[in-house]
Amino acid sequence: MAPPKPKSKTKPTKKSTSKTNQAKTSSSHDAPMSSLPPDLQQLLLNIFKNAFPETISSDLKPLLQEIKGHLYNRDFATAFGKESYLEAYALRWSPSRALCYLQVFNDLKDELNLKSLQGKSGEADTEPATWNVTCLGGGAGAEIVALAGLMKMLEVADSAHAPYMRVSAIDIADWKRVVTTLTTGSVTAPPISKYASAAVQAANEALTDAEKFSVAFHQHDVLNLENSTLEKIVQGADLVTLMFTLNELYTASLSLTQKFLLNLTTCLAPGARLLVVDSPGSYSSVSLNGAEKKYPMQWLLDHTLLSTGTTRGVLEEAKWEKIKEEESTWFRLGEGLRYPIELEHMRYQLHLYQRLG
């Protein structure tokens, strides 16, 4: 995969305080607050807080400044070349994103066909249905923790019919330890004081069950990934996500990104969904006849996935349809969340496609 996305993370949206999460801009303030249960939002934040206790208890400011500097210079090999950088990055930028992604997944339950899977898992004498998700650029863990949170919400709504989840995260850097630690935190009861009351200890449980929620990490550069390898990874995927990743792929190489999206199309079965979330107003430059022109990311994406052409005079059938689009949406964190590092509201564009047969 192309390197992660410095623009959205080195230049975050207006910040809120870590305790009250009060919006600092009128735009985000006017947006509705997250509809996610506050206690669930806090549970997700606690997973990140408990994941790397030594790193989060240290002075992170110098480390974060180093990472920002490398990202600004587009030196991704250095920015993601040390374990300490990866942990600090996940602690700083992934928690807010995890909450935002959970809101997105929950809002799109109908479009993602989750109700159909829930129905299948309730049929007699059948194995529980499995929802297979591939997260391109998911190494920093935001998508993983968000999906674990979604699993919790589905179980609370209807535990008998909740599908299992199998997640594959692909990234260019070696995020394996971060992915493993955050996955473990999602399927293991959080640490509590040995002096906690019996009632508190009895109520202390994991976000979700390891038998129902599993994650595999794959280290690859998707822009230079053999089609056979890509096909093995995304085989059977019900959903593929590109969260704050696609525009950086376009920036790295427009032609290779277009080729990758076409290869991905051939690897996915009819009915699969592709979810793209990125910064609003993202543009990529295209050089034609020596002249450079900028195109909106969403135009390039639609042009690749939705355009039809002709082969030997025969009109090709469309391979994708767009079933949801939001050009600019704010996500506002809930009130009173507690986290030792600053949290922030987010603004994003969203595009959801369905693979046609």
Side-chain angles (χ1 to χ4, degrees):
M1 201 192 84
K5 29 279 174 190
K7 179 185 295 183
S8 57
K9 295 190 177 182
T10 56
K11 298 180 180 178
T13 57
K14 292 294 183 179
K15 299 170 185 175
S16 59
T17 65
S18 59
K19 292 184 179 180
T20 61
N21 296 310
Q22 296 295 322
K24 295 292 185 65
T25 68
S26 58
S27 296
S28 62
H29 185 72
D30 293 340
M33 193 169 292
S34 171
S35 62
L36 301 173
D39 56 344
L40 179 60
Q41 294 188 58
Q42 188 61 57
L43 282 175
L44 266 62
L45 293 178
N46 291 346
I47 289 174
F48 287 97
K49 182 183 70 175
N50 296 328
F52 311 105
E54 293 183 4
T55 301
I56 205 166
S57 62
S58 63
D59 183 6
L60 275 175
K61 287 185 179 180
L63 200 60
L64 293 173
Q65 284 302 119
E66 291 178 26
I67 297 172
K68 287 181 179 180
H70 296 313
L71 290 174
Y72 181 82
N73 294 323
R74 305 190 69 80
D75 184 359
F76 302 110
T78 302
F80 300 103
K82 296 197 301 187
E83 200 68 46
S84 59
Y85 282 175
L86 298 179
E87 291 182 7
Y89 185 95
L91 286 168
R92 167 62 181 88
W93 286 287
S94 291
S96 298
R97 292 196 170 213
L99 298 184
C100 178
Y101 297 165
L102 175 55
Q103 183 75 66
V104 169
F105 291 139
N106 188 56
D107 290 346
L108 294 176
K109 287 201 297 289
D110 291 344
E111 290 85 353
L112 294 176
N113 206 32
L114 279 171
K115 286 189 176 181
S116 173
L117 286 174
Q118 285 178 288
K120 290 180 181 179
S121 64
E123 295 173 2
D125 301 322
T126 62
E127 291 292 324
T130 300
W131 197 45
N132 297 296
V133 184
T134 299
C135 302
L136 303 173
E143 293 94 320
I144 293 166
V145 177
L147 288 166
L150 179 63
M151 186 77 189
K152 178 70 171 181
M153 297 184 75
L154 295 174
E155 290 174 337
V156 169
D158 190 351
S159 60
H161 297 163
Y164 288 7
M165 286 192 196
R166 300 290 178 259
V167 182
S168 296
I170 307 176
D171 218 307
I172 193 171
D174 186 6
W175 292 92
K176 184 175 182 179
R177 183 171 179 271
V178 170
V179 167
T180 300
T181 302
L182 292 173
T183 302
T184 300
S186 299
V187 299
T188 306
I192 59 173
S193 170
K194 63 180 180 180
Y195 302 108
S197 66
V200 171
Q201 293 187 40
N204 187 44
E205 59 181 18
L207 186 62
T208 188
D209 191 325
E211 292 186 359
K212 300 177 180 179
F213 183 81
S214 63
V215 180
F217 175 70
H218 307 271
Q219 185 180 1
H220 293 292
D221 174 0
V222 297
L223 295 187
N224 294 286
L225 186 62
E226 292 185 4
N227 215 37
S228 58
T229 304
L230 176 65
E231 186 174 13
K232 290 178 182 178
I233 294 173
V234 304
Q235 186 176 25
D238 299 294
L239 172 67
V240 175
T241 67
L242 278 162
M243 308 296 236
F244 286 89
T245 296
L246 181 59
N247 197 56
E248 286 304 316
L249 293 178
Y250 276 131
T251 301
S253 173
L254 175 66
S255 60
L256 289 178
T257 301
Q258 303 290 73
K259 179 183 177 182
F260 166 71
L261 290 171
L262 293 175
N263 289 341
L264 181 65
T265 297
T266 64
C267 293
L268 293 176
R273 270 66 167 174
L274 174 64
L275 175 61
V276 177
V277 172
D278 220 304
S279 301
S282 297
Y283 283 80
S284 293
S285 298
V286 179
S287 295
L288 294 174
N289 300 321
E292 189 174 87
K293 186 174 182 180
K294 289 188 174 182
Y295 290 92
M297 185 204 76
Q298 65 197 68
W299 184 90
L300 292 170
L301 183 60
D302 285 350
H303 180 72
T304 303
L305 299 184
L306 304 181
S307 297
T308 57
T310 56
T311 301
R312 296 180 179 178
V314 178
L315 181 66
E316 297 176 350
E317 294 184 358
K319 295 181 173 60
W320 293 93
E321 67 171 336
K322 181 177 283 190
I323 56 179
K324 184 77 171 183
E325 180 176 63
E326 296 176 7
E327 292 186 0
S328 180
T329 301
W330 273 103
F331 169 76
R332 290 188 65 216
L333 294 152
E335 297 282 358
L337 298 176
R338 301 177 305 280
Y339 193 67
I341 307 175
E342 59 191 348
L343 299 171
E344 60 206 22
H345 308 310
M346 289 177 54
R347 194 162 65 96
Y348 61 89
Q349 60 173 302
L350 180 152
H351 309 278
L352 179 63
Y353 304 82
Q354 179 178 345
R355 181 73 165 91
L356 299 175

